[in-house]
Amino acid sequence: MSDVDTPRDFPALRSLIVERAADFPRRLTQVATYALENPDDIAFGTVASIAQAASVQPSTLVRFAQSLGYQGFSELQEVFQSRLRDRVLNYDERIVQLREHTRKSGKAGLVFDGFAGAAEQSLARMRERLDTAQLEEAADMLAGAETIYLIGLRRSFPISSYMAYALGKLGIRYELVDGLGGLGHEQTGFATAKDVAVAISFTPYASETVSLVKRMAERKVPVVAITDSPLSPLASIARVWFEVQEANFEGFRSMAATITLAISLTIATAERRAR
Amino acid sequence: MSDVDTPRDFPALRSLIVERAADFPRRLTQVATYALENPDDIAFGTVASIAQAASVQPSTLVRFAQSLGYQGFSELQEVFQSRLRDRVLNYDERIVQLREHTRKSGKAGLVFDGFAGAAEQSLARMRERLDTAQLEEAADMLAGAETIYLIGLRRSFPISSYMAYALGKLGIRYELVDGLGGLGHEQTGFATAKDVAVAISFTPYASETVSLVKRMAERKVPVVAITDSPLSPLASIARVWFEVQEANFEGFRSMAATITLAISLTIATAERRAR
DNA sequence: ATTCATGTGGAATTAATGTTTCGCTTCGGG
DNA sequence: CCCGAAGCGAAACATTAATTCCACATGAAT
């Protein structure tokens, strides 16, 4: 706690917090976590407002600052402010970083830039094109379903498994059709017209997904589909379907837009149910 | 002075000041000039400190704010603060505007806008902060691994399962640890120092993930981690770790940045192997 | 030259903020 | 099981900050 090593700049403070956090008591760790995750709030807030946001007492914040070697909370807060104050310098830093990016031109950095770009592009395109009325309709269908059957294999499996996770947390009944052990038809066998199937598939459409969804549709199970073309076999089967075109980089398509749509659909459904 | 047009975002306030400054009395003009030239000081300072810096009385600052339609100085100060609250928040402002645009589009449309915004924000932040040197290092490690163990449960499972899909297509040997039937430790049991584990976990860190990774690290298996805080238990275990902070909407975090990082890491690995 | 409206400075007032204190609780060692 | 230390929460306290108020100054109109 000697005042020799109390940092006056943010990066140093940040690493000090990381280093010390392990030895901190419970509440102080809580503050440390909050501080690292919400540095802006620390910079602008008052002791009371920050304390409330971090779910601790004001006195804990003061103790936190003091245990890092500062005289009081305000002194620590100044460091957080400095981070934003010389934003001009931060800008320079960013430019330097960007130069680093391109100078070293590490192959991995290029790959990352490529995929980040593809993700942004896909999101922007989806924003432009998505018909929100369809989203309303799909959310209505899902909200009224007894059980939601999630069908997405291979490349689409991360999407359906994410929806499964979210639906589970929200307390909505679902059935994740994973085709494990070739049991796809058994997993979907109990679906009725009161349920809804969410089918996710992209070129080349996994044949098992298509055949499963077809059978369900024949048994009058309403289908919501996420796919990448009006020519997709799912498009003609589904009552509502979304077209999501992901940009690709070096032949690998982004997933950002699809997963964002999946979350949106899930949460929109949960909100309807809440009423 | 109707409070209808008192701006809540900085650009609007700025042009309002420019516009009105000509008609202001002497001291108020003085404040206006100072405010436009030293916006940071307005954001962080106190009435007294700013008054001194601008060579006016504290009361003049209050009058200035009120003559722009704000109730007091603090209200005006908030606008100056919003400008600095990390581009992230500036992004939020844009999202708010977008929401206004699409207000007509109903609840599901709002949810979608929220998540699309969160996704973009997360991607932008990751682009700024990701250290590509770490990406190189991680890709090197993975490229040299005999088998890549993918560990991500619950919320992180979509990520690990996506990596599994991609690695499979690329012909790279992997083992997806899904904890199915509580067999996590059996699935990781054969890993050696020649392999590499990729661990993905976010707050609240699934205890099984943490214990699996710990055990593997003890057996000298190198670990690459993707997590959301330097205080994450994974951060201290991993040889290389990435911090990905996803923005959230209504309490549900985006996944766009994480999945983009996962693809990048996978493809970068494949490219190293090709040589 | 006088009057009136407006602007201005500085003190007074009131609200709020940061910090300290103190008693209660929790947890680990003897 | 008891004791002591450390952690913690709530309230009290002292300080500082924002705002209001009022007397005086300024300058234009009569």
Side-chain angles (χ1 to χ4, degrees):
Chain A
M1 219 153 301
S2 63
D3 33 0
V4 210
D5 59 351
T6 48
R8 297 288 143 192
D9 62 309
F10 185 74
L13 172 57
R14 192 186 147 86
S15 39
L16 176 65
I17 293 176
V18 171
E19 181 190 330
R20 299 275 308 276
D23 311 326
F24 274 160
R26 194 169 63 96
R27 286 280 119 116
L28 260 43
T29 312
Q30 191 175 332
V31 173
T33 309
Y34 182 86
L36 292 180
E37 280 174 8
N38 309 76
D40 291 0
D41 290 347
I42 306 277
F44 288 115
T46 67
V47 169
S49 68
I50 298 165
Q52 194 181 2
S55 310
V56 298
Q57 289 293 320
S59 47
T60 307
L61 291 182
V62 176
R63 274 195 287 269
F64 176 73
Q66 287 172 343
S67 72
L68 286 172
Y70 298 93
Q71 194 150 12
F73 178 78
S74 309
E75 219 175 283
L76 174 130
Q77 191 176 37
E78 277 175 24
V79 179
F80 276 81
Q81 292 182 347
S82 77
R83 164 174 162 277
L84 296 175
R85 251 224 157 82
D86 26 72
R87 194 174 52 109
V88 191
L89 257 167
N90 280 352
Y91 254 117
D92 285 348
E93 284 170 11
R94 261 211 292 164
I95 291 167
V96 169
Q97 274 190 343
L98 260 176
R99 268 187 213 149
E100 295 290 312
H101 265 225
T102 43
R103 186 169 57 80
K104 277 194 289 185
S105 87
K107 192 76 178 167
L110 290 181
V111 170
F112 172 72
D113 271 341
F115 280 112
E120 279 171 2
Q121 194 181 329
S122 305
L123 278 165
R125 177 150 42 166
M126 179 168 68
R127 264 199 155 157
E128 277 174 26
R129 299 195 183 172
L130 189 85
D131 180 356
T132 54
Q134 286 189 321
L135 203 56
E136 305 284 342
E137 194 183 342
D140 273 338
M141 285 171 63
L142 291 175
E146 274 185 4
T147 298
I148 297 173
Y149 285 81
L150 301 169
I151 306 160
L153 303 176
R154 304 162 84 18
R155 185 170 171 281
S156 305
F157 183 66
I159 306 295
S160 54
S161 68
Y162 180 68
M163 288 186 74
Y165 166 80
L167 288 172
K169 281 210 95 173
L170 292 164
I172 298 174
R173 186 185 302 166
Y174 68 90
E175 185 71 36
L176 177 61
V177 181
D178 51 16
L180 200 64
L183 294 176
H185 286 290
E186 279 69 15
Q187 288 181 306
T188 58
F190 297 120
T192 73
K194 290 183 177 174
D195 303 316
V196 174
V198 175
I200 308 150
S201 185
F202 300 94
T203 332
Y205 312 99
S207 60
E208 197 183 354
T209 302
V210 177
S211 80
L212 280 172
V213 177
K214 257 191 187 145
R215 284 241 222 144
M216 291 182 89
E218 282 164 11
R219 291 208 316 278
K220 310 293 181 202
V221 181
V223 176
V224 173
I226 299 176
T227 187
D228 58 356
S229 155
L231 303 180
S232 156
L234 294 187
S236 53
I237 300 172
R239 182 175 303 174
V240 179
W241 63 276
F242 299 95
E243 181 178 355
V244 179
Q245 288 184 1
E246 295 273 10
N248 68 29
F249 177 75
E250 296 195 356
F252 277 80
R253 273 165 290 174
S254 160
M255 297 266 295
T258 311
I259 204 157
T260 300
L261 176 60
I263 303 181
S264 306
L265 189 55
T266 307
I267 304 301
T269 300
E271 288 204 331
R272 308 238 153 177
R273 289 231 174 180
R275 283 175 260 151
Chain B
M1 224 150 305
S2 64
D3 33 0
V4 209
D5 58 351
T6 48
R8 296 288 144 192
D9 60 308
F10 185 75
L13 172 56
R14 196 188 146 85
S15 40
L16 177 65
I17 293 177
V18 170
E19 182 190 330
R20 299 274 306 276
D23 310 327
F24 274 158
R26 194 169 61 95
R27 288 277 119 121
L28 260 44
T29 312
Q30 191 176 332
V31 172
T33 310
Y34 181 85
L36 293 179
E37 280 174 6
N38 307 77
D40 288 7
D41 291 347
I42 306 275
F44 288 115
T46 67
V47 168
S49 69
I50 299 165
Q52 194 181 1
S55 312
V56 295
Q57 289 294 321
S59 48
T60 307
L61 290 182
V62 176
R63 272 195 289 269
F64 176 72
Q66 287 174 342
S67 71
L68 286 172
Y70 297 94
Q71 197 150 8
F73 179 76
S74 308
E75 220 174 279
L76 174 131
Q77 192 177 35
E78 276 175 24
V79 179
F80 277 81
Q81 291 181 348
S82 78
R83 165 176 160 276
L84 288 180
R85 275 194 122 95
D86 206 340
R87 263 165 315 267
V88 177
L89 247 159
N90 282 348
Y91 255 114
D92 279 349
E93 285 171 10
R94 270 193 232 168
I95 290 167
V96 168
Q97 283 181 339
L98 256 176
R99 270 188 213 158
E100 296 298 317
H101 272 223
T102 51
R103 180 127 301 197
K104 56 184 178 183
S105 70
K107 191 77 180 162
L110 289 183
V111 170
F112 173 71
D113 267 338
F115 281 112
E120 281 173 2
Q121 193 179 326
S122 305
L123 279 164
R125 190 178 341 188
M126 180 169 66
R127 264 199 151 155
E128 277 174 28
R129 303 198 181 168
L130 190 85
D131 180 357
T132 54
Q134 286 189 319
L135 202 57
E136 306 285 343
E137 195 183 341
D140 273 338
M141 284 170 64
L142 291 175
E146 276 184 2
T147 298
I148 296 174
Y149 285 80
L150 302 169
I151 306 161
L153 303 177
R154 304 160 103 340
R155 185 169 171 280
S156 305
F157 183 67
I159 306 296
S160 55
S161 68
Y162 181 68
M163 289 186 75
Y165 166 80
L167 289 171
K169 282 210 94 169
L170 292 163
I172 298 173
R173 186 186 302 167
Y174 70 90
E175 185 70 34
L176 177 62
V177 181
D178 52 15
L180 201 62
L183 293 176
H185 286 288
E186 278 70 14
Q187 289 180 307
T188 57
F190 297 121
T192 72
K194 289 182 176 175
D195 303 316
V196 175
V198 176
I200 307 150
S201 186
F202 300 93
T203 327
Y205 312 100
S207 60
E208 197 183 354
T209 303
V210 177
S211 81
L212 281 172
V213 176
K214 260 193 188 141
R215 282 239 222 145
M216 293 182 87
E218 281 163 12
R219 292 209 314 280
K220 310 291 180 207
V221 181
V223 176
V224 173
I226 298 176
T227 188
D228 59 357
S229 159
L231 302 180
S232 158
L234 294 187
S236 51
I237 299 173
R239 183 176 301 177
V240 180
W241 62 277
F242 299 95
E243 181 178 356
V244 179
Q245 288 187 358
E246 296 272 10
N248 68 29
F249 178 73
E250 297 195 354
F252 278 79
R253 272 165 290 176
S254 159
M255 296 265 301
T258 311
I259 205 158
T260 301
L261 176 60
I263 304 181
S264 306
L265 190 54
T266 307
I267 304 302
T269 300
E271 289 205 328
R272 305 232 158 180
R273 289 232 175 178
R275 283 177 259 153

